[in-house]
Amino acid sequence: MKEIVAVIGAGNGGMAISAYLASCGVKVNICDMFPKYLEGIKQDKQITLLKDGKTITVKLNLVTEDVAQVLKGAKLVMVVTPSFTHKLIAKACYQYLEDGQIVILNPGRTGGAIEFLATIKALGCHKDVVVGESSTLVYSCRKHDDKTVEVYGTKEELLLGVLPAQRTAEVTAVLNKYYPQFKPVSSCIETSLSNIGALFHPTPMLLNIGRVQSDKRGYRWYVDGITPGVAKLVKEIDKERLAIASAFGVKIFSAEEWLADSYKTHGQDLYEMIQNTDAYQEIMAPTTIEARYVLEDVPMSLVPLSELGKAAGVPTPNIDAVIQLTSTVYDKDFRAAGRTLKTMGLEGMNKEQIEKYFMTGKN
């Protein structure tokens, strides 16, 4: 009997993961809480996948807006949505989760798994459910239209954190059947601090905001948008992220190490390595500033990094500057809307208590 995998999210990543899993012979149930994302695939239940120079069209088992239906009978649940929807999804599915299910946030950004688990527990879910998060999305991909998606590159490795951490080996074994790239780590604090989107998204958008608004021709996000000056500020933010990890006793990759490990790229510095990454060559910038690179990655990545820095006694002046400047430009209080110590259930804890919470999901 074929295994059922539920995928929540029919955007770029959700469609790519669904199509790949279906090509592996899995019965894929896909759901999106925003019906417009399902319009192209609902009638024929098919996705066309362009990957590794090949084009295939695969059949899905179920396409629905009903969270209860998509979860039924699925051992593995892949949540592939912007992280600002994680709490919304947790609220929608808590009463339909089943014993033994594994929920993976792809990716969790910073603090995603903890927030998801805390939400379903607060709502009264007592099922034997494990929640995990990846450090990043396995693919660099984009939809061509509402039923076709192209994978430009596949990560060589991505980190997997699990709550509770004692279930990590079990979860890794399930995921590695389809994605051997998932590498287990000690806890979700490592995946949360390994959030590369916090580096490569908000700062380049802030420093290129005039170009996004005025250049109707568009430009390549990484190749054209991350110049040596932009890369310098990204690197300073990376240093603050690495300092937070060190304070929590966690060893994580620098941005350069991550690029080399994920894409086997090369270069003398961060700028050169980004420019030499094949998977980044054709990725275009958003055509509007109302994009997840800020709307998601500032409140769900930079804000929790800043908050964890405070808890660990690590100053984060460059991270804080990007939070403040984007809040001003967008006329939004991203810190108030983001994942704070309070919303992650960490308020009032010291560094050691936070470390334990990231391991167990319990005070």
Side-chain angles (χ1 to χ4, degrees), residues 65-84:
E65 300 152 25
D66 189 330
V67 174
Q69 287 188 49
V70 84
L71 293 174
K72 190 173 182 179
K75 168 73 172 180
L76 178 62
V77 181
M78 301 286 269
V79 178
V80 197
T81 63
S83 53
F84 52 69

Side-chain angles (χ1 to χ4, degrees), residues 2-284:
K2 291 183 179 180
E3 183 172 329
I4 298 174
V5 175
V7 177
I8 300 179
N12 300 314
M15 277 185 57
I17 287 175
S18 295
Y20 173 74
L21 290 173
S23 76
C24 296
V26 174
K27 294 175 71 173
V28 176
N29 295 346
I30 189 170
C31 172
D32 201 294
M33 298 179 68
F34 300 92
K36 67 178 182 178
Y37 291 109
L38 298 172
E39 289 176 358
I41 59 175
K42 195 164 188 179
Q43 182 174 349
D44 297 326
K45 296 196 293 188
Q46 292 182 341
I47 296 175
T48 297
L49 173 67
L50 288 70
K51 183 176 181 289
D52 300 328
K54 300 177 182 178
T55 300
I56 60 172
T57 298
V58 296
K59 193 82 171 180
L60 305 177
N61 182 58
L62 177 68
V63 180
T64 181
E65 300 152 25
D66 189 330
V67 174
Q69 287 188 49
V70 84
L71 293 174
K72 190 173 182 179
K75 168 73 172 180
L76 178 62
V77 181
M78 301 286 269
V79 178
V80 197
T81 63
S83 53
F84 52 69
T85 66
H86 287 166
K87 183 174 284 190
L88 177 69
I89 290 168
K91 290 179 178 179
C93 72
Y94 79 94
Q95 59 187 318
Y96 306 115
L97 291 167
E98 302 172 0
D99 285 327
Q101 284 187 321
I102 297 168
V103 179
I104 304 296
L105 308 180
N106 299 267
R109 296 304 177 196
T110 301
I114 281 182
E115 180 185 64
F116 192 97
L117 185 61
T119 301
I120 64 173
K121 283 185 174 181
L123 291 168
C125 178
H126 301 296
K127 298 291 185 178
D128 177 27
V129 175
V130 181
V131 181
E133 63 182 16
S134 66
S135 55
T136 186
L137 186 65
V138 66
Y139 299 127
S140 293
C141 56
R142 287 289 186 275
K143 289 168 66 172
H144 285 194
D145 54 43
D146 57 7
K147 57 184 176 182
T148 306
V149 63
E150 181 172 3
V151 170
Y152 298 107
T154 303
K155 309 292 193 307
E156 296 279 345
E157 181 179 284
L158 60 162
L159 306 183
L160 172 68
V162 175
L163 280 169
Q166 67 187 36
R167 305 279 296 273
T168 301
E170 168 195 341
V171 174
T172 305
V174 172
L175 285 166
N176 282 168
K177 288 188 295 183
Y178 313 112
Y179 288 110
Q181 296 96 327
F182 278 98
K183 175 185 174 183
V185 295
S186 60
S187 76
C188 284
I189 197 167
E190 190 167 342
T191 46
S192 284
L193 295 177
S194 297
N195 177 6
I196 293 296
L199 307 178
F200 292 167
H201 295 164
T203 300
M205 177 64 89
L206 176 63
L207 298 184
N208 283 281
I209 204 161
R211 188 171 189 177
V212 173
Q213 291 180 314
S214 64
D215 190 346
K216 303 306 180 186
R217 299 168 300 176
Y219 68 94
R220 293 172 296 176
W221 177 257
Y222 292 96
V223 177
D224 302 323
I226 302 187
T227 61
V230 174
K232 184 175 182 179
L233 181 54
V234 171
K235 182 58 188 174
E236 290 304 309
I237 288 174
D238 192 29
K239 290 178 181 177
E240 294 173 5
R241 181 182 68 101
L242 293 170
I244 296 168
S246 179
F248 280 105
V250 177
K251 173 64 176 174
I252 61 174
F253 281 158
S254 67
E256 294 93 333
E257 290 169 333
W258 181 86
L259 284 167
D261 187 71
S262 297
Y263 292 118
K264 307 305 179 188
T265 191
H266 63 280
Q268 296 297 313
D269 55 23
L270 180 58
Y271 167 72
E272 287 189 6
M273 294 186 76
I274 289 172
Q275 296 299 308
N276 291 331
T277 299
D278 291 341
Y280 288 168
Q281 297 305 303
E282 301 303 324
I283 293 180
M284 298 300 291

